[in-house]
Amino acid sequence: MGSLFRSETMCLAQLFLQSGTAYECLSALGEKGLVQFRDLNQNISSFQRKFVGEVKRCEELERILVYLVQEINRADIPLPEGEASPPAPPLKQVLEMQEQLQKLEVELREVTKNKEKLRKNLLELIEYTHMLRVTKTFVKRNVEFEPTYEEFPSLESDSLLDYSCMQRLGAKLGFVSGLINQGKVEAFEKMLWRVCKGYTIVSYAELDESLEDPETGEVIKWYVFLISFWGEQIGHKVKKICDCYHCHVYPYPNTAEERREIQEGLNTRIQDLYTVLHKTEDYLRQVLCKAAESVYSRVIQVKKMKAIYHMLNMCSFDVTNKCLIAEVWCPEADLQDLRWALEEGSRESGATIPSFMNIIPTKETPPTRIRTNKFTEGFQNIVDAYGVGSYREVNPALFTIITFPFLFAVMFGDFGHGFVMFLFALLLVLNENHPRLNQSQEIMRMFFNGRYILLLMGLFSVYTGLIYNDCFSKSVNLFGSGWNVSAMYSSSHPPAEHKKMVLWNDSVVRHNSILQLDPSVPGVFRGPYPLGIDPIWNLATNRLTFLNSFKMKMSVILGIIHMTFGVILGIFNHLHFRKKFNIYLVSIPELLFMLCIFGYLIFMIFYKWLVFSAETSRVAPSILIEFINMFLFPASKTNGLYTGQEYVQRVLLVVTALSVPVLFLGKPLFLLWLHNGRSCFGVNRSGYTLIRKDSEEEVSLLGSQDVEEGNHQVEDGCREMACEEFNFGEILMTQVIHSIEYCLGCISNTASYLRLWALSLAHAQLSDVLWAMLMRVGLRVDTTYGVLLLLPVIALFAVLTIFILLIMEGLSAFLHAIRLHWVEFQNKFYVGAGTKFVPFSFSLLSSKFNNDDSVA
């Protein structure tokens, strides 16, 4: 587990892999997931690379495995998933595995083809038996009663033959029988009538049961038809129409004896087909069960093998074509493990010459690597969604672990709702190894991946709920209220004090609907509540006014502290990148601007809270008025919070006014002086470690580094190039834009933190409305029907609480907390312009059985 405060130190390493050991070395690297490969063949298309043939072989094996998985799923055979991931197959076993899979595919396709053919024949025979059974009721013809006709050749020229002509010519009577889809019956009958001119007799009957279509396998309703016709010409037309409508035509027996023989033969053949089909299915299932035992390991092995060849295609060959050269980014902490992986791969391949690595210097920006575990991964994903951190800059995720659930809880503060959320997250955490949770639907999987975020959000909501003393919109009296109502009665005080204080008596209590407790009366206010808001405020009519004042000031205090902390974190970035001038010319002016205005506002809030008591509260000045007067310089003097307030505020305004031009012009002028100082001034300044040379600021720092090293003999061409690259106007515009954004942002961002107050108020009011509309109504019903009504009321209250207050309000508070971190907090120090470190690791490969599984 690395440090979350800053990304790990990376280095660029060059791997020299022998041709015979490259596969085994990359297999060992893939198991450990240590390095990220750089593509050294970017100018070569993917079809012209060295190992494109091996990649195609892997794709062919993937196609076979996908076919096997489809057949196994079709047979309802469970697919076992092994716990341990099998290693990539050795090269010696690849050809053997390919031959086995191809042989298995050929066998399965042949058996499946025979099975489908047998099944189709069986369905056709079953249709034939149904057709014979139904058509038996249409026409009853026996040999004794069948008339004989003298057969004459058909007259091709006479297409319109009437019935008398047919009898006169002695035309032969014919039959066509079969089955037709239910939806095509009407159109089929109309077509026969129009084409055959009415010289056909059609009989229909619907089958009682639905049959499976031999062609499509779909179970549909069928109609049995029997068509009687005269003449060969009409017979050809009838058969063509039957083909056009995809009718299943079967021979019609001429005699009852022939019908009986056909029926007996069909029954025998159907029994034989059932026997053969069952044996074929048993054999097919045995083959698939045997294949299912190893299909999981085969899928993983092929994916790993394909990933290895993809990485090998990113390597380049040396001049002798006997050694592959790869360039990888690797954390410095993993260099020893990288050497061990190369030695392990060389040892497994049995090579005499081992593979080795060299660290090469580079000026390129390395990728950002931050190690996380299952607890910190969710918070790191929140930060990465804004932007992957630049290399070695301060990582906000370390502080987001605390600040994110806390700011969420400030907006979601309710003991009951937070406890329900905490229990739900705790259930996910305790069952995190359950396989169904990992394979659940997208929404549930999203909750599962953020289970630790939910856990802390619920826990912090319980804390803020105790501070607000809010549990399902009701207060809980745990320690006893600090307010004493009986002390307000006049009988509790001597007569001499009655004129000095507004006290109660029986008449006042009887004739006033609203009574006010005066904390200045002795004995009324006995001290603050030990934890949070006093429960008596839940009964007060001015409760909302009191809570609004409290939460608004709390939101401003939390917001200013949060933003100031972000500016301070920027100082750690400047110290790490050895740009100390940014501390004096950027960070300190920003802190002075923030603290002299808004820090002073916090001071006034705490000063008024500590100095003024209940007795002097009526003469306490308004913080808002005093803060506005700080900028307006009123002609008439005000009372103020303290003596000398006017002079202190003027000093703060002067410091604020002086920090603005330093913030606007300090850094550009310093860089200009530093850039010209190489040729105009003989000064030695502290050096700077360069990470990237892609900004004007770093170009000027490059010149100062030459001054420090005493490199005065610089070539004229290099000096002219550096002068051309340095653009003072661009630096000035960038700093001016940043300064304007910061100064205006201090005001707008402070106002943005008032969303903590607004959403907390909205959540409390929604909870109160839900209680008043449901639970209060159910609890006020008389005892006769109250119990029966209370059960559905409680169920409806629970459902609405979960969907409205927990899910919808929770999602709203979650999004606002994300915005406060991304916009108000992270923009004070976080650039987020880096690239994420994506190691070559087999653990990133999917182990699921998907039809479109592939390794990118």
Side-chain angles (χ1 to χ4, degrees), residues 491-508:
S491 59
S492 303
H493 300 276
E497 298 180 359
H498 290 183
K499 296 181 179 180
K500 299 178 182 180
M501 298 174 291
V502 180
L503 301 177
W504 300 349
N505 53 36
D506 292 340
S507 177
V508 171

Side-chain angles (χ1 to χ4, degrees), residues 23 57-58 61 89-99 305 309:
Y23 180 88
R57 180 196 299 170
C58 296
L61 294 178
L91 290 175
K92 299 178 183 179
Q93 299 179 3
V94 172
L95 293 177
E96 180 182 355
M97 182 175 67
Q98 181 181 8
E99 185 178 350
M305 183 168 59
Y309 284 120

Side-chain angles (χ1 to χ4, degrees), residues 533-603:
I533 304 296
D534 196 295
I536 200 173
W537 284 103
N538 193 52
L539 306 175
T541 56
N542 60 339
R543 172 177 179 265
L544 197 58
T545 304
F546 169 73
L547 290 180
N548 280 346
S549 176
F550 164 72
K551 292 181 178 179
M552 180 174 61
K553 294 172 183 176
M554 178 194 64
S555 301
V556 172
I557 293 171
L558 292 177
I560 295 173
I561 293 175
H562 200 207
M563 291 187 293
T564 305
F565 180 62
V567 178
I568 294 174
L569 288 179
I571 297 177
F572 290 93
N573 277 336
H574 302 324
L575 289 174
H576 176 77
F577 295 128
R578 302 168 78 177
K579 299 178 181 178
K580 295 183 180 179
F581 68 93
N582 277 338
I583 299 176
Y584 303 112
L585 301 176
V586 178
S587 297
I588 291 180
E590 287 179 349
L591 282 174
L592 291 176
F593 185 87
M594 175 76 73
L595 296 178
C596 289
I597 298 178
F598 301 101
Y600 180 68
L601 176 62
I602 295 179
F603 165 76

